[in-house]
Amino acid sequence: MSRYKILVVDDEPIIRMDLTEILQREGYEVVAEAKNGEEAVELAYRHKPDLVIMDVKMPVMNGIKAADIIRKFSHTSILLLTAYSHRELIQEARQSGVTAYLVKPVSEEDLIPAIEIALSQRDRVSSLQQDIEDLKQKMEERKIVERAKGKLMSTLQLGEEEAYKWLQRQSMESRVSMAKLAQELLNA
């Protein structure tokens, strides 16, 4: 199992200690602990955890505000813990991009499945984001090939299919990608 990095945030030291012990026993790496939302934001930025487990009601900055800020610079999952289950609080948590929400007192039997689901969601989102980046890159490469093909069509008086085949052949002979060859043609 790859060791996921977790940030634990609660204004009660005993709760932080209990959560950390449970997490470490389950094989997770607790990279840092914070006592308020402001520290959570700073530590999340510094440690880039896979998951932040955070209380809602804390001094300085509450967990929902901290979650909102963390989600702006990170794709980490956020699991909120609270003694309150008011509908407004749940709505605010949803709007802040919180992945999961547990009502205190939290048992280990409730916590571990919630963590696993939150981390699974994070992995799925990360995978989708990588797919999107790959598709964007392919689209950019395709645009470059299309522009180079257009240049070949006009300078060598080739048809579209002939220009594409010319690019393919040159790419194979020179052992470079069509996108790289196309960029070289456009730069020439």
Side-chain angles (χ1 to χ4, degrees), residues 8 14 42 44 46 61 86 93 137 147 159:
V8 175
I14 193 80
E42 180 188 325
R46 187 180 324 150
M61 180 188 296
H86 304 302
Q137 178 66 33
R147 287 200 318 266

Side-chain angles (χ1 to χ4, degrees), residues 20-83:
T20 298
E21 284 178 10
I22 291 168
L23 294 167
Q24 289 173 336
R25 212 173 30 244
E26 288 294 320
Y28 296 108
E29 178 185 357
V30 176
V31 291
E33 294 181 18
K35 64 182 176 291
N36 61 54
E38 191 173 77
E39 281 184 14
V41 170
E42 180 188 325
L43 291 170
Y45 186 80
R46 187 180 324 150
H47 292 283
K48 300 184 181 18
D50 301 302
L51 175 67
V52 176
I53 299 175
M54 183 161 41
D55 189 16
V56 172
K57 300 281 188 196
M58 294 182 292
V60 185
M61 180 188 296
N62 73 34
I64 291 176
K65 177 68 176 163
D68 193 41
I69 295 168
I70 291 168
R71 295 293 294 144
K72 285 185 169 91
F73 65 79
S74 173
H75 299 294
T76 188
S77 283
I78 298 174
L79 171 59
L80 284 185
L81 305 177
T82 183

Side-chain angles (χ1 to χ4, degrees), residues 152-159 162:
L152 285 172
M153 288 168 63
S154 100
T155 52
L156 299 179
Q157 302 301 308
L158 298 174
E162 293 169 305

Side-chain angles (χ1 to χ4, degrees), residues 1 5 31-32 37 60 81 104 133:
M1 165 178 132
K5 299 184 302 183
V31 291
V60 185
L81 305 177
K104 290 178 180 178
E133 288 305 312

Side-chain angles (χ1 to χ4, degrees), residues 109-124:
E109 293 77 29
D110 292 334
L111 181 64
I112 299 306
I115 289 171
E116 289 174 5
I117 288 169
L119 288 169
S120 170
Q121 289 290 83
R122 181 203 166 275
D123 290 346
R124 194 172 4 261

